[in-house]
C-alpha cells in the first residue's frame, strides 16, 4: 500500500517488567515482541515503517538489525503518546496518505484485523479510526465515550469520572490517521490531565469538535489487542501465541500427540504427516519435512530436517542439517554445523560437533565426532572418539567412504583414513591410514596357558606355609 505509513511506539520504559533491557525486545515464542508487530505490519506492504524509540533505544535497534527498511526516530524525554507520534514529523511530513499507529508491546494483532481497520477507515472517509474492544476488566485502559452511538472522546483511567469507570469498551491504542492535518493537531495537544502528558487519545475529542470524522472498529477477539506490561502478561500472551501456532500446524497436517506440552516457535515449519511426541521444543528457524517422527523430550533449534526423519526420545539438535530418512537417538546430541546425509544413523549417547556424517553411515553408540568429515557407508563403532583438540587448536579428522572404525578407537587429528580402510578395535590412530588397509594400533595380546591353575596352587602353598 503506497499511501500507508506504519508508526510503532516503543519509547516507553516498561518499568513493570523489572528488566535491564527494553520491554519490546523481550522474546515472545522466539521473537522480540516488537518483531511480531513489524512482521504483521510488513504483510500490508506499507510505504514506510517508523519505530519511535527512547528508553533502551539501542536494544531495540539491535533487535531489529535484520529489518533494514525500518526507520527509527528518538523520543526524549517521553512526554506521552501524542508527543511520541509528533516525533515522526521530520520523516513523515509532506508524505501523502495515512498513518497506521501500532505499539511495540501489543504483539498479537492479526493482519486480518489491521485490514478491517483500514477498510473501515477508507469506506467511511474518516480522518481518524480507532480500534476498540469490549473487555471483561477494563481497568487501566482508556474508555470509549459514545454519544448516541458515535464516539465523542476517550477518557483515561486516571481521568475518568463518575460512571465512566464502568464502561467496558476500551481504546486499544491502535488507530489510523489521515496525514493531512495530523501534525498540526498533535502540536495543539495540551497536558491538562492527571498524568501531565500529551495524550494521543485527546485527538478524538479535538477532531469531533472540529468536524473531522472519527470512526471506530470494535474488534471481536479482545485478546488481539492485549499489551505486555509484566512478565505475567508475557507468559499469558506466549500461551495464546503457542496455541495459535499449534492450531496452525495441526490444521496443516501435523499430529501433536500432546499439544499442550509442545513448544513451537512462531516461524517453525513442519511438513504433513509428521508426528510430534510430548514435551518437544522446536525453536528458531527450524524446518521439518513431511513424515518425520519426533520423540518425547527432544529439542530442535535452528535446524533443517528432510523427509521421513526419525528422532527418538531426548535428543538435542542445534543448527544442524539432517537429510531424508535419517534416524537419531535416543539421547543423541548434534551441536552446531553438523550434517547427516540421507539414511545416516546416530544412536544413543553420540555427540557430533561441526561434523558431516555421509549417506547411510552409522555411529550407533557412545561416540564423540568433532570437526570430522565422514563419507558414505562408514561404520563408526561404539565408543569411537575423534581427538580434535590439542589444547590449543582444533584439527580435522577425515574418514572416507566405506571405512570401518572398530569400537573404542581414538583418531588423533589431524588424521585421514582412506576409502575402504579398517581400523582395528581399541586402536589409537595417529598417522594417516592408506585406502583399503587395516590399521592396528594397540599392544599385542599374550595368552599364558594354564596361568589360572598355577596361580591357584601358588596361593595354596603360601597359605600352608603360614
Ligand atoms: C494508552 C492509551 C489508552 C489505551 C492504552 C492501550 C493514551 C494516552 N492512552 O495508555 O487509552 O487504552 O494505551 O494499551 O494514549 N509510549 C511512547 N512514548 C511515550 C509514552 C508511551 O513511545 O511518551 C509508548 C509506550 O512504549 C507503549 C505505548 O506508547 O508502547 C503505550 O504507552 P503506555 O504508557 O503504556 O499507555 P497507556 O497508559 O497504557
Ligand atoms: Ca500500556
Amino acid at each position: 500500500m503506497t499511501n500507508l505509513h506504519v508508526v510503532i511506539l516503543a519509547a516507553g520504559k516498561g518499568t513493570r517488567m523489572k528488566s535491564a533491557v527494553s520491554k519490546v525486545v523481550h522474546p515472545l515464542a522466539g521473537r522480540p515482541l516488537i518483531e511480531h508487530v513489524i512482521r504483521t505490519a510488513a504483510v500490508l506492504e506499507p510505504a514506510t515503517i517508523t519505530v519511535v524509540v527512547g528508553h533502551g533505544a539501542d536494544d531495540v535497534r539491535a533487535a531489529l538489525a535484520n529489518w533494514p527498511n525500518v526507520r527509527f526516530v528518538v523520543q526524549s524525554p517521553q512526554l506521552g503518546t501524542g508527543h511520541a507520534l509528533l516525533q515522526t514529523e521530520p520523516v513523515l511530513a509532506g508524505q501523502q496518505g495515512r498513518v497506521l499507529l501500532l505499539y511495540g508491546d501489543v504483539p498479537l494483532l492479526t493482519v486480518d484485523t489491521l485490514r478491517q481497520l483500514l477498510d473501515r477507515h477508507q469506506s467511511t472517509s474518516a480522518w481518524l479510526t480507532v480500534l476498540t474492544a469490549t473487555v471483561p476488566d477494563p481497568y487501566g485502559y482508556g474508555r470509549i465515550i459514545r454519544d448516541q452511538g458515535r464516539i465523542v472522546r476517550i477518557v483515561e483511567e486516571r481521568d475518568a469520572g463518575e460512571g465512566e469507570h464502568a464502561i467496558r469498551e476500551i481504546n486499544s491504542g491502535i488507530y489510523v490517521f489521515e496525514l493531512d492535518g495530523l501534525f498540526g493537531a498533535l502540536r495543539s495537544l495540551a497536558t491538562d490531565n492527571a498524568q501531565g502528558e500529551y495524550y494521543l487519545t485527546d485527538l478524538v475529542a479535538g477532531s469531533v469538535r472540529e468536524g473531522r470524522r472519527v470512526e471506530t472498529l470494535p474488534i471481536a477477539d479482545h485478546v488481539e489487542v492485549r499489551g505486555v506490561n509484566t512478565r505475567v502478561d508475557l507468559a499469558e500472551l506466549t500461551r495464546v501465541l503457542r496455541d495459535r501456532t499449534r492450531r496452525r500446524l495441526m490444521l496443516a497436517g501435523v499430529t501433536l500427540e500432546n499439544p499442550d506440552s509442545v513448544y513451537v516457535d512462531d516461524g517453525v515449519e513442519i511438513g504433513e504427516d509428521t508426528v510430534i511426541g510430548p514435551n518437544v521444543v522446536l525453536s528458531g528457524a527450524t524446518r521439518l519435512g513431511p513424515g518425520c517422527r519426533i520423540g518425547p523430550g527432544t529439542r530442535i533449534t535452528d535446524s533443517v530436517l528432510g523427509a521421513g526423519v526419525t528422532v527418538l526420545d531426548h535428543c538435542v539438535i542445534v543448527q544442524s542439517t539432517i537429510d531424508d530418512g535419517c534416524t537419531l537417538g535416543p539421547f543423541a546430541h548434534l551441536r552446531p554445523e553438523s550434517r547427516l546425509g540421507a539414511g545416516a544413523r546416530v544412536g544413543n549417547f553420540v555427540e557430533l560437533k561441526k561434523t558431516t556424517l555421509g549417506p547411510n553411515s552409522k555411529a550407533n553408540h557412545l561416540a564423540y565426532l568433532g570437526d570430522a568429515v565422514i563419507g558414505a557407508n562408514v561404520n563408526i563403532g561404539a565408543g569411537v572418539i575423534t581427538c580434535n583438540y590439542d589444547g590449543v587448536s582444533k584439527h580435522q579428522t577425515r574418514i572416507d567412504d566405506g571405512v570401518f572404525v572398530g569400537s573404542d578407537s581414538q583418531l588423533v587429528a589431524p588424521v585421514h583414513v582412506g576409502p575402504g580402510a579398517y581400523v582395528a578395535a581399541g586402536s589409537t590412530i595417529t598417522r594417516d591410514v592408506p585406502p583399503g588397509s587395516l590399521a592396528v594400533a594397540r599392544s599385542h595380546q599374550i595368552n599364558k596357558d594354564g596361568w589360572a591353575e598355577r596361580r591357584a596352587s601358588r596361593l595354596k602353598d603360601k597359605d600352608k606355609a603360614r
Side-chain angles (χ1 to χ4, degrees):
M1 294 185 202
T2 51
N3 59 354
L4 180 67
H5 301 274
V6 170
V7 173
I8 301 172
L9 301 191
K13 195 163 188 178
T15 317
R16 283 176 287 165
M17 287 299 277
K18 304 224 160 80
S19 173
V21 296
S22 165
K23 168 163 77 178
V24 298
V25 307
H26 278 260
L28 174 70
R31 289 186 215 290
L33 284 173
I34 193 165
E35 197 184 341
H36 288 274
V37 182
I38 289 185
R39 287 175 73 91
T40 307
V43 178
L44 299 169
E45 299 183 359
T48 64
I49 299 181
T50 307
V51 178
V52 180
V53 291
H55 281 287
D58 292 340
D59 300 340
V60 183
R61 283 180 214 268
L64 296 177
N66 292 333
W67 293 86
N69 295 329
V70 170
R71 301 182 297 183
F72 297 91
V73 298
V74 177
Q75 183 201 17
S76 177
Q78 287 87 38
L79 303 177
T81 47
H83 178 255
L85 182 53
L86 185 57
Q87 307 313 303
T88 64
E89 187 171 17
V91 293
L92 292 182
Q95 302 266 9
Q96 299 290 309
R98 55 199 55 132
V99 170
L100 170 63
L101 187 88
L102 304 172
Y103 289 173
D105 56 0
V106 180
L108 298 184
L109 268 179
T110 61
V111 177
D112 250 20
T113 297
L114 295 181
R115 287 211 173 102
Q116 283 177 42
L117 182 67
L118 289 161
D119 284 352
R120 170 64 55 92
H121 183 81
Q122 178 122 29
S123 65
T124 57
S125 305
W127 184 80
L128 159 56
T129 305
V130 185
L131 185 66
T132 75
T134 298
V135 299
D137 177 13
Y139 180 79
Y141 287 100
R143 310 296 208 287
I144 304 296
I145 312 293
R146 292 182 182 269
D147 184 12
Q148 297 176 24
R150 294 203 62 83
I151 184 170
V152 289
R153 63 193 169 90
I154 296 175
V155 63
E156 292 304 297
E157 174 76 34
R158 291 212 249 163
D159 303 293
E162 200 66 24
E164 290 173 340
H165 284 116
I167 296 171
R168 284 170 44 232
E169 189 184 13
I170 59 107
N171 170 28
S172 71
I174 311 293
Y175 322 83
V176 181
F177 299 98
E178 286 302 303
L179 266 169
D180 186 17
L182 176 60
F183 294 110
L186 288 171
R187 264 194 300 273
S188 67
L189 287 175
T191 57
D192 52 345
N193 53 57
Q195 303 186 73
E197 290 185 352
Y198 295 97
Y199 283 174
L200 190 52
T201 46
D202 286 348
L203 286 190
V204 173
S207 305
V208 170
R209 209 166 38 236
E210 285 163 28
R212 288 189 299 249
R213 190 178 176 109
V214 183
E215 283 291 332
T216 58
L217 179 76
I219 191 178
D221 182 5
H222 62 82
V223 164
E224 273 193 43
V225 297
R226 272 200 58 179
V228 174
N229 290 316
T230 66
R231 295 190 199 235
V232 175
D233 298 327
L234 189 63
E236 285 172 12
L237 267 55
T238 300
R239 191 158 54 225
V240 173
L241 194 61
R242 290 216 157 109
D243 258 341
R244 275 191 198 167
T245 306
R246 289 186 287 239
R247 278 188 67 80
R248 164 174 70 80
L249 291 171
M250 290 189 278
L251 293 172
V254 178
T255 295
L256 304 182
E257 291 180 331
N258 179 5
D260 289 349
S261 72
V262 173
Y263 289 179
V264 186
D265 277 358
D266 204 18
V268 170
E269 290 167 33
I270 307 180
E272 278 177 28
D273 290 322
T274 284
V275 178
I276 313 281
N279 298 315
V280 168
V281 178
L282 304 172
S283 53
T286 290
R287 278 188 285 132
L288 311 186
C292 295
R293 288 196 73 93
I294 311 298
T298 284
R299 170 195 293 275
I300 305 178
T301 303
D302 295 326
S303 295
V304 178
L305 276 62
V309 173
T310 301
V311 181
L312 300 173
D313 314 24
H314 299 291
C315 293
V316 175
I317 299 170
V318 182
Q319 288 171 37
S320 293
T321 307
I322 298 170
D323 291 347
D324 298 352
C326 289
T327 303
L328 289 91
F331 300 102
H333 186 185
L334 265 55
R335 291 168 52 202
E337 293 180 55
S338 295
R339 191 185 171 106
L340 303 189
R345 300 174 74 99
V346 169
N348 27 198
F349 306 107
V350 173
E351 173 182 349
L352 267 64
K353 190 221 74 174
K354 223 179 191 177
T355 284
T356 300
L357 189 62
N360 298 313
S361 289
K362 297 186 189 99
N364 274 336
H365 329 269
L366 299 161
Y368 171 64
L369 304 169
D371 302 294
V373 179
I374 301 170
N377 302 306
V378 169
N379 186 82
I380 303 288
V384 167
I385 291 173
T386 56
C387 308
N388 58 330
Y389 186 51
D390 60 12
V392 180
S393 2
K394 302 278 170 65
H395 301 283
Q396 199 181 60
T397 301
R398 277 163 54 218
I399 301 176
D400 290 344
D401 293 351
V403 165
F404 180 97
V405 181
S407 295
D408 194 30
S409 292
Q410 300 91 49
L411 300 135
V412 181
V415 73
H416 176 202
V417 183
Y422 282 70
V423 171
S427 293
T428 300
I429 300 298
T430 54
R431 285 184 291 130
D432 288 355
V433 179
S437 56
L438 168 68
V440 189
R442 63 188 183 213
S443 49
H444 279 286
Q445 180 173 337
I446 309 163
N447 293 340
K448 299 186 175 179
D449 287 339
W451 179 87
E453 209 170 297
R454 287 199 300 280
R455 174 173 180 264
S457 58
R458 212 165 44 233
L459 290 177
K460 221 181 278 167
D461 290 350
K462 235 189 222 163
D463 214 28
K464 271 189 212 147
R466 237 191 262 152

